[in-house]
Amino acid sequence: MKRRDILKLAALAGASAVVPGVLSEVRAGPIGHTGPYWITIQAGWGWDPTLFCDPKGAPVNATYDKAQIAKAGNIPYAPSNENDAFFGKYASRLCVVNGIELSTHQIEAAFRQMWTGALEPGYPSLAALLAAGLGGGAPMPLISAGGFEETAGLVPRTRLVGAQPLDWASLTAPSADMASLFSPMTETRIAQYRRERLKAKLATSLPPGIKSVIEAAEAAELSRPKLEQWKAHWPSPLSDDPSRALIQLTLAAFKAKLSVSANLWWMLDPAVTDAAQVENFNDWTARFDVLMDEIEAFGLDNSVILVASSGGGRTPMYLDEQMKGHWSVGSMLLLGPGIPGNRIIGGTDENLRGLPLDPSTLEPNPTGVRLRPAHIHRALRRLAGIEASAEAKAFPLDAEDLPLFS
Amino acid sequence: MKTRHLSMTLVFASAAAVSASLMTSCSAGDGGECVSTTRFFAERVWGPTISKKCINCHTSYGLAKSSAFLLEDESNPDYISYNLGVVTRIAELEKDGASLFLQKAAGKLSHGGGVQVQEGSEEYAALEELVARLSEGGSDACAAGSGAESIAAYATLLDWVPSLRKASMSLVGRWPTEEEEKSVRDGGEAAFDTVLLAMMNEDAFYERLKEIWNDYLLTDKFLPMPGAGGKRGIEILPTGSAQGGAGFDDFPNVHTLAERFPDEREQMFVGVGVAREPLELIAHVVRNGRPFTEILTADYMMVNPYSAYVFGVDGEVGFADPKDPTEYRKATLTIQRNGVEIPIKHAGLLTSHALLSRFPTTITSRNRSRANAILNLFLGINARRLAERSIDPTRVTGHNPTMNHPDCTVCHTVLDPVAGAFKQWPWVHAGSFVRYMPEEGGPAAINAGLGGWPAPGAWFTDMLAPGLGAEVVPSEEWATSERWLAHRLAADRRFALNVVQKMYEGITGHKPIQFPSNASAAAEINAWEVQSAFLKDVTDQFVSSDYDLRRVILALVKSPYYRAAGFRGKETPERNAELRDVGTGRLLTAEMLDRKIRAVTGLWWSPEVNASASQGRGLLAGVMDLGKETVRWPSIAYGGHEGGSLTERFTTVNPVMANMAWKMANEMGCFAAAWDFMHPAEERRLFPHVELVDTPEDAAGSERSEVVSAIKKNMVHLHRRVWGVDVTEDSEEVSQAYTLFYETWKGGQGALADGTEKLWAPCRIQSLPGQPAGTPLEPGLATIDEDKDYTMRSWSAVLTYLLADYTFLYE
């Protein structure tokens, strides 16, 4: 399917809807994807990699000198107790990519590009593309928890988090107490009549927008009974902590083979000072620990690929009152099967410009290529095995193939 | 549902006529096809030439910014029409008897950009034809235009009564009364207008209006949700405690709130008043028939009896009922700053604490992100699109790039003047409060916390001057720059168009069609062309009605975008692309569905329906009953947003949402049937024509024809009541529902006989629904304990079937 065809069809169903026609076939089909599963971790508001995974020291950083830069395996990092713990624990499995050029200073455009690989709008997020490419037939292929959530109409989203306390057990139950409502025979009869009516409705000449939402509704309805498989993998009880509960629900959906990917939105406070940035990183690494603990508890240690980033970074120089603004060069952290650990790719100079890289060795080379999100996304598509999929081809990325994860 | 066939060409006739009178004159193109000038410009001139060449320099931020030929890019919501207007004016100019526009494009005269289009090329020929068309002044207009004609494959529109039902449920959460329907049935379109406009006086309409605008303003984020949000709303108000003393205690009554309102519920009403202030201004303007521009130009704000206290104006504002949290009145605020009384120079939404807190700023952003939000909210300008071009960051060097480097000025020329206009609302270091800091507050200790922010009254000298576009705030209005900006925004044509576009999305559930990036996509251009003309027509009506928003809603509801229900003729991918947004089948929002359930069944879907069984919270994460109004928090699980990190509604369902809908239908089908049968027949909403003893067959298995007739009569009633459609007893719909009823009943007889099911009735209601568990039933109502004939369960099955259907869950 060509991109224009996909876009045209997707447009019929609305920006966040699904591909009509295609959906009802694939989502009613067998559940296929058995991993690896993907989690993208979006950190809002622009973190400062120089206080984390791309340390510089003075004068870029007022809080430490170059001599204080710490290292875990091959990975240097900014000194702090929390960073010591984080990199000490995960460096052997982490791949850090620094010096990613975003080619825009506009924060939303930069963030979008980091998560789609393209500066051009209209592209799906990495999580959405993976969900479509790997598991379009899954009932809840994409779990989306805020942040950049564009699907380009490829897959429906399932929302599992918010500021609201939700009783997920109740929301996924067929009724308050089925035994006291309808007999199984009656319930089956109601569902059958309802389906026959929808089928008849679809056979009439309907506006395309109406037809597509009915098809999407029917596909969701067909998948509804599979929620029981999901619930079978829930820990008992679910955590009271909404962040942990979201992770548990997500991993349970992976285990039940209902979902393929998830994007997590780890909202950070706007942080223009070093102190605020450090506080954010402390919070972020604590959340990362929770995620990794749960992945282990679910027995998915070697089945989940994590991709974490913010948009760009922060300026190399301090502005007034020791504050920093947004910067168009960023970093990304990756971990999981197929991702080489203890590896650092790319870098920045003292002005926080990305270092051009030799396209073969990935070593700094003044005549090499500047690393862009498109390079990383191309490599991730290859890693996932979806680079030749219709969905990936519909959203081409203009960049060289670099051996980033090989 | 009754429909009538109508060519969309006719429906769009007024739009086409208006457009033709402006600039969509038509002429025969290749093959004799009639092509409007707008379409010709979009397809043949804008796409291949101007958007790729001219616009690189001819913008307010480009190298040719001092020329008279200044174009606008895609960030302008109406850029095609705007740029055609620019070209039209330039095309009138000649030099030595030849078109100045053509000569410049060909690199003649003193064109700084040199040769952009080769004479003799296809692009040049298109420019020539455009100039020729414009010089002829539209004399070759063709009535409907090819785009309209191709889209005008015949649509079946809902007739006026079904249209009224749809609009009524959507806007005021109820079906029309018999009188309203009769009036429209007899009086047609004119009566429809009258009835719908009258509905727009109801409180329920303003609930919906506020929901629509909250999807953009997102200020309900600050509402104090019972059990989850504490005193949210109040917390956005600046106090002195966080910032160095009582001298900056703008609203000192915050500290005495608990003494003034010991009842925690009343404290929440304060938060509601603070958080809802911007949405209440919108409601006030519309309710009182004020020009909608007043949402920006109002020199007042809105307070309820509770927020009036915290804002310190409770002694000045009179309320009819000082205990009514839904009563809002106009107020003007004065803050105390170091002993000096400083009146806030209100400028409608632009000086709302809630709105400015929702779109805050930082020291490094310098109000720019806020400016971006304001331009998007009120002019539809999406400045982010300006950044959708790749730059080389290493190239961005030199003195003050944001003012001087083209890679930066592309955005900053648009954002910075507006950012400056908010100079009285600076970034505040501690507490992240939004704080009014005009010059008369004087230099103060608090400024030390503002870092490099200029002193009150001043603005950054390394940014463009406060203003809008190229216009600068005049010195006499320097201290009230927000008001100056408000009036400029309100007077801008884009304000009116933007309001229409946002209401279009709110009413239909569709985003307005953007001009396709692929200019050769003929079907998509057709769709854009017709809708664009329609929205402009509505915009004209809006402006000529002195910005009466109700006229906009009326026009949208009457359009095929809202009323199309089906189509005739052959279906093709191209036709589907053209018609993609015609007719609505929108998924009801959680709030709309919540209201509809109540309107249809008489019960809310909430734990109180059956407190012993349901632990769910229905479709809502929270509810606050304010008496005349209900505040609803849509469940994010059902695709809602909370205005914080989630800001977008889902428009299609996933399995969790499908399950929630199914669960609702299961529970309400059962409980609502029981509740209805507890009432005398004349008081029932759902089952007025049958009793529980009415079985379709007698004990010997013979059909009871009179009863069957009554059952079918009630089926007709149920379809009208639940789906809002008129069917007959011999219709397919009733036939299917009756078969479901009969099979359920028949199966139930067997189950009762063999003991697999019991005589007792399901969903026994023993306390008053909607009230705390244990509240006694009203006198005269009794729990139905037994369903010995299995008719309750049979009717419940039918009701569940109707409630679970697309027709109920979608608009």
Side-chain angles (χ1 to χ4, degrees):
Chain A
M1 189 178 280
K2 293 178 179 174
R3 180 187 179 201
R4 193 178 151 205
D5 296 330
I6 286 184
L7 293 177
K8 194 185 289 182
L9 287 168
L12 297 179
S16 60
V18 294
V19 180
V22 176
L23 175 140
S24 53
E25 295 164 25
V26 294
R27 293 181 62 211
I31 301 171
H33 188 66
T34 55
Y37 306 98
W38 293 73
I39 295 178
T40 60
I41 306 168
Q42 302 180 5
W45 293 105
W47 64 17
D48 184 350
T50 68
L51 294 170
F52 192 48
C53 59
D54 189 15
K56 293 295 169 196
V60 173
N61 304 109
T63 53
Y64 66 94
D65 293 326
K66 284 186 174 58
Q68 294 174 280
I69 292 174
K71 202 169 186 183
N74 294 326
I75 300 177
Y77 60 90
S80 79
N81 290 339
E82 288 77 7
N83 286 353
D84 284 345
F86 177 82
F87 287 98
K89 197 168 178 183
Y90 303 114
S92 64
R93 301 165 65 190
L94 267 182
C95 178
V96 173
V97 185
N98 286 329
I100 306 168
E101 295 271 11
L102 293 162
S103 310
T104 177
H105 289 298
Q106 211 282 331
I107 180 172
E108 283 93 351
F111 196 80
R112 186 181 65 220
Q113 187 189 183
M114 187 63 97
W115 288 108
T116 65
L119 185 56
E120 177 188 350
Y123 273 53
S125 72
L126 176 64
L129 187 71
L130 291 163
L134 294 172
M140 308 191 301
L142 172 64
I143 291 171
S144 191
F148 179 75
E149 294 187 288
E150 179 63 61
T151 66
L154 294 178
V155 284
R157 292 172 287 181
T158 299
R159 204 170 253 171
L160 295 183
V161 73
Q164 306 167 351
L166 294 172
D167 183 345
W168 288 101
S170 173
L171 294 175
T172 51
S175 74
D177 180 0
M178 278 303 293
S180 67
L181 302 183
F182 297 113
S183 68
M185 185 175 66
T186 301
E187 193 203 353
T188 303
R189 188 179 291 120
I190 296 169
Q192 175 198 334
Y193 273 76
R194 180 192 164 282
R195 192 161 300 134
E196 281 175 13
R197 192 183 123 69
L198 269 189
K199 205 170 162 186
K201 183 93 177 169
L202 284 169
T204 63
S205 184
L206 291 170
I210 296 178
K211 187 171 276 191
S212 66
V213 295
I214 294 178
E215 287 180 335
E218 185 58 0
E221 172 62 21
L222 288 172
S223 298
R224 190 172 59 77
K226 293 171 183 164
L227 293 176
E228 291 303 314
Q229 298 169 28
W230 181 30
K231 291 160 75 174
H233 290 278
W234 291 4
S236 181
L238 277 169
S239 172
D240 290 337
D241 171 8
S243 298
R244 188 182 284 270
L246 163 67
I247 291 168
Q248 291 173 336
L249 289 166
T250 300
L251 298 175
F254 291 166
K255 288 277 280 189
K257 301 181 177 56
L258 300 185
S259 302
V260 171
S261 66
N263 76 271
L264 304 182
W265 170 242
W266 288 357
M267 184 82 167
L268 303 174
D269 292 330
V272 294
T273 65
D274 285 354
Q277 282 282 339
V278 167
E279 201 170 313
N280 275 347
F281 277 119
N282 294 347
D283 175 51
W284 194 90
T285 51
R287 292 197 206 192
F288 195 89
D289 276 338
V290 170
L291 174 60
M292 294 300 286
D293 287 349
E294 289 295 338
I295 287 174
E296 187 180 355
F298 272 81
L300 291 169
D301 314 53
N302 296 311
S303 303
V304 181
I305 298 175
L306 305 178
V307 184
S309 183
S310 179
R314 311 298 294 191
T315 48
M317 75 296 284
Y318 287 93
L319 308 174
D320 303 309
E321 298 288 323
Q322 297 298 298
M323 297 172 191
K324 290 186 172 184
H326 291 287
W327 191 242
S328 60
V329 180
S331 297
M332 184 178 272
L333 279 70
L334 303 101
L335 182 153
I339 303 290
N342 192 25
R343 183 168 193 187
I344 185 148
I345 299 171
T348 51
D349 63 18
E350 293 307 303
N351 294 315
L352 295 188
R353 309 285 187 197
L355 297 173
L357 304 179
D358 184 287
S360 300
T361 65
L362 300 182
E363 291 300 316
N365 180 337
T367 61
V369 299
R370 289 187 181 279
L371 195 60
R372 292 181 286 117
H375 292 113
I376 300 170
H377 282 253
R378 283 181 72 95
L380 290 174
R381 289 179 182 191
R382 282 200 307 281
L383 181 64
I386 62 164
E387 75 274 29
S389 68
E391 292 85 359
K393 284 183 173 173
F395 298 97
L397 296 173
D398 182 20
E400 305 88 344
D401 278 331
L402 300 180
L404 295 175
F405 308 118
S406 54
Chain B
M1 187 174 279
K2 190 177 177 185
T3 59
R4 64 190 177 121
H5 298 289
L6 186 65
S7 161
M8 287 178 59
T9 307
L10 299 177
V11 177
F12 286 119
S14 62
V18 169
S19 301
S21 70
L22 295 174
M23 52 184 57
T24 58
S25 61
C26 303
S27 65
D30 295 342
E33 180 194 5
C34 183
V35 178
S36 73
T37 299
T38 297
R39 187 190 180 96
F40 181 86
F41 171 74
E43 274 187 292
R44 301 281 304 280
V45 177
W46 171 260
T49 304
I50 294 184
S51 71
K52 293 191 169 54
K53 296 176 179 176
C54 311
I55 203 161
N56 291 332
C57 296
H58 285 274
T59 60
S60 59
Y61 48 84
L63 290 175
K65 61 185 176 187
S66 58
S67 85
F69 182 48
L70 288 184
L71 302 160
E72 295 217 344
D73 56 32
E74 296 92 330
S75 63
N76 183 330
D78 194 25
Y79 67 98
I80 292 288
S81 297
Y82 179 88
N83 289 328
L84 178 55
V86 171
V87 172
T88 302
R89 288 190 292 278
I90 293 292
E92 292 173 351
L93 305 176
E94 290 188 348
K95 172 94 173 171
D96 300 330
S99 163
L100 186 72
F101 179 59
L102 290 174
Q103 292 188 71
K104 288 270 190 179
K108 296 179 179 175
L109 303 177
S110 57
H111 187 220
V115 180
Q116 291 295 322
V117 182
Q118 292 288 348
E119 286 183 271
S121 67
E122 194 176 329
E123 289 90 346
Y124 190 83
L127 294 183
E128 282 185 310
E129 183 173 342
L130 178 65
V131 170
R133 280 170 168 256
L134 295 173
S135 69
E136 289 166 11
S139 60
D140 61 346
C142 47
S146 61
E149 275 181 3
S150 62
I151 287 183
Y154 296 89
T156 52
L157 300 189
L158 296 177
D159 212 337
W160 291 115
V161 169
S163 296
L164 182 69
R165 289 177 190 165
K166 180 177 177 180
S168 174
M169 185 56 79
S170 170
L171 295 175
V172 294
R174 64 172 175 86
W175 295 125
T177 62
E178 290 298 326
E179 294 72 27
E180 287 169 335
E181 289 205 4
K182 182 176 185 309
S183 169
V184 171
R185 196 173 291 113
D186 295 344
E189 181 177 356
F192 179 91
D193 290 4
T194 303
V195 171
L196 197 66
L197 285 169
M199 286 179 173
M200 291 187 222
N201 292 323
E202 296 177 21
D203 289 338
F205 166 73
Y206 293 95
E207 272 191 38
R208 178 77 193 115
L209 184 66
K210 283 179 268 189
E211 284 169 9
I212 289 173
W213 279 94
N214 180 57
D215 282 350
Y216 300 103
L217 303 187
L218 304 171
T219 44
D220 273 0
K221 172 189 175 186
F222 301 120
L223 272 176
M225 187 197 296
K231 296 177 185 174
R232 274 196 301 180
I234 301 166
E235 290 162 359
I236 65 174
L237 296 181
T239 60
S241 56
Q243 295 184 312
F248 292 90
D249 222 355
D250 289 0
F251 303 112
N253 283 357
V254 167
H255 307 300
T256 55
L257 207 61
E259 291 80 47
R260 175 66 181 79
F261 301 112
D263 181 347
E264 194 171 323
R265 186 171 164 79
E266 288 193 309
Q267 291 179 29
M268 293 179 75
F269 292 161
V270 178
V272 171
V274 172
R276 271 279 165 101
E277 176 248 323
L279 296 174
E280 292 297 342
L281 176 58
I282 290 174
H284 167 82
V285 165
V286 178
R287 194 190 295 268
N288 290 281
R290 304 292 304 160
F292 199 66
T293 48
E294 201 164 299
I295 68 169
L296 297 179
T297 61
D299 57 2
Y300 58 88
M301 63 177 287
M302 304 304 295
V303 293
N304 71 4
Y306 299 90
S307 64
Y309 172 75
V310 82
F311 284 126
V313 293
D314 50 330
E316 302 161 23
V317 182
F319 292 94
D321 180 358
K323 292 286 187 185
D324 180 1
T326 68
E327 183 182 347
Y328 283 84
R329 300 279 178 174
K330 293 159 66 170
T332 55
L333 302 190
T334 298
I335 57 171
Q336 296 277 339
R337 184 67 49 80
N338 286 328
V340 179
E341 287 204 343
I342 303 173
I344 291 181
K345 311 295 191 303
H346 293 284
L349 297 180
L350 298 194
T351 51
S352 157
H353 275 84
L355 189 71
L356 296 181
S357 297
R358 180 58 190 79
F359 298 102
T361 189
T362 65
I363 177 72
T364 53
S365 172
R366 298 180 173 185
N367 279 343
R368 286 165 178 142
S369 56
R370 173 176 289 158
N372 188 36
I374 294 297
L375 286 169
N376 200 3
L377 284 173
F378 300 117
L379 293 189
I381 290 177
N382 186 353
R384 284 178 295 184
R385 297 198 67 174
L386 297 168
E388 288 161 5
R389 58 199 71 190
S390 182
I391 62 169
D392 177 358
T394 62
R395 207 175 66 182
V396 180
T397 56
H399 174 66
N400 194 359
T402 59
M403 285 182 76
N404 300 311
H405 197 286
D407 283 350
C408 301
T409 56
V410 60
C411 285
H412 287 274
T413 304
V414 177
L415 294 178
D416 284 13
V418 177
F422 282 96
K423 61 189 171 60
Q424 277 77 233
W425 297 85
W427 172 78
V428 178
H429 181 57
S432 294
F433 289 123
V434 164
R435 190 184 281 277
Y436 185 57
M437 296 193 68
E439 186 173 7
E440 57 262 47
I446 195 169
N447 288 354
L450 293 180
W453 205 279
W459 187 238
F460 292 97
T461 54
D462 58 350
M463 289 175 71
L464 291 173
L468 178 65
E471 198 175 0
V472 176
V473 176
S475 57
E476 63 272 21
E477 297 187 65
W478 179 257
T480 54
S481 49
E482 298 89 357
R483 276 190 179 171
W484 178 91
L485 177 65
H487 283 271
R488 288 298 179 281
L489 293 174
D492 195 308
R493 163 83 181 181
R494 290 172 294 185
F495 171 79
L497 177 62
N498 171 62
V499 169
V500 169
Q501 288 180 328
K502 284 187 166 53
M503 288 307 301
Y504 171 85
E505 185 178 3
I507 296 291
T508 69
H510 293 298
K511 289 185 185 299
I513 300 170
Q514 300 291 311
F515 184 75
S517 55
N518 179 355
S520 64
E524 288 152 31
I525 293 177
N526 286 348
W528 166 83
E529 183 182 23
V530 172
Q531 191 190 84
S532 179
F534 166 70
L535 293 178
K536 281 180 193 153
D537 184 30
V538 178
T539 303
D540 289 339
Q541 294 175 39
F542 183 38
V543 174
S544 63
S545 69
D546 198 16
Y547 297 92
D548 184 345
L549 192 76
R550 291 171 294 193
R551 292 286 161 187
V552 173
I553 295 170
L554 190 60
L556 294 172
V557 164
K558 289 166 67 177
S559 77
Y561 293 105
Y562 193 74
R563 293 173 56 213
F567 289 96
R568 296 177 295 168
K570 192 178 174 189
E571 199 173 315
T572 64
E574 289 72 27
R575 197 192 75 161
N576 280 351
E578 289 174 349
L579 303 176
R580 72 182 202 197
D581 285 344
V582 179
T584 60
R586 81 184 293 180
L587 177 71
L588 290 173
T589 66
E591 301 97 306
M592 293 167 86
L593 185 54
D594 182 64
R595 281 190 288 267
K596 190 174 184 180
I597 293 165
R598 165 74 172 202
V600 165
T601 67
L603 298 177
W604 297 114
W605 183 42
S606 68
E608 286 78 17
V609 170
N610 178 21
S612 64
S614 173
Q615 289 80 47
R617 298 173 68 100
L619 299 157
L620 306 176
V623 182
M624 190 191 294
D625 181 5
L626 300 177
K628 293 176 185 168
E629 184 181 338
T630 301
V631 175
R632 292 172 171 79
W633 284 265
S635 169
I636 61 107
Y638 202 74
H641 67 74
E642 22 79 321
S645 58
L646 304 175
T647 58
E648 194 185 332
R649 288 185 189 273
F650 282 5
T651 56
T652 190
V653 294
N654 56 44
V656 173
M657 293 165 71
N659 193 73
M660 291 172 73
W662 182 248
K663 184 180 178 193
M664 178 279 295
N666 258 334
E667 294 184 5
M668 296 310 292
C670 189
F671 284 102
W675 177 244
D676 212 52
F677 276 117
M678 287 166 67
H679 291 76
E682 63 274 14
E683 292 179 15
R684 291 182 203 152
R685 293 164 179 258
L686 301 167
F687 306 105
H689 304 300
V690 289
E691 298 295 340
L692 289 175
V693 295
D694 291 336
T695 57
E697 293 174 356
D698 61 22
S702 301
E703 181 177 293
R704 300 168 68 192
S705 57
E706 282 186 12
V707 172
V708 170
S709 179
I711 290 171
K712 290 190 174 178
K713 187 178 179 186
N714 208 89
M715 296 287 184
V716 170
H717 174 81
L718 274 179
H719 280 77
R720 166 72 184 81
R721 179 86 209 162
V722 181
W723 286 355
V725 298
D726 294 320
V727 294
T728 58
E729 289 179 27
D730 58 357
S731 65
E732 200 175 313
E733 287 87 350
V734 168
S735 172
Q736 173 141 334
Y738 178 77
T739 309
L740 172 62
F741 175 87
Y742 178 81
E743 287 183 0
T744 305
W745 177 79
K746 198 71 177 173
Q749 299 306 302
L752 289 175
D754 65 21
T756 51
E757 292 203 53
K758 307 295 182 192
L759 287 179
W760 47 263
C763 305
R764 279 167 289 182
I765 296 178
Q766 296 168 313
S767 65
L768 197 60
Q771 300 299 320
T775 306
L777 292 169
E778 293 161 341
L781 295 183
T783 304
I784 299 175
D785 288 318
E786 286 196 339
D787 180 29
K788 59 186 175 56
D789 293 316
Y790 212 82
T791 47
M792 171 93 84
R793 279 165 276 194
S794 303
W795 280 114
S796 291
V798 173
L799 188 55
T800 292
Y801 156 79
L802 293 170
L803 292 171
D805 190 78
Y806 154 84
T807 310
F808 183 75
L809 301 172
Y810 288 73
E811 192 172 44

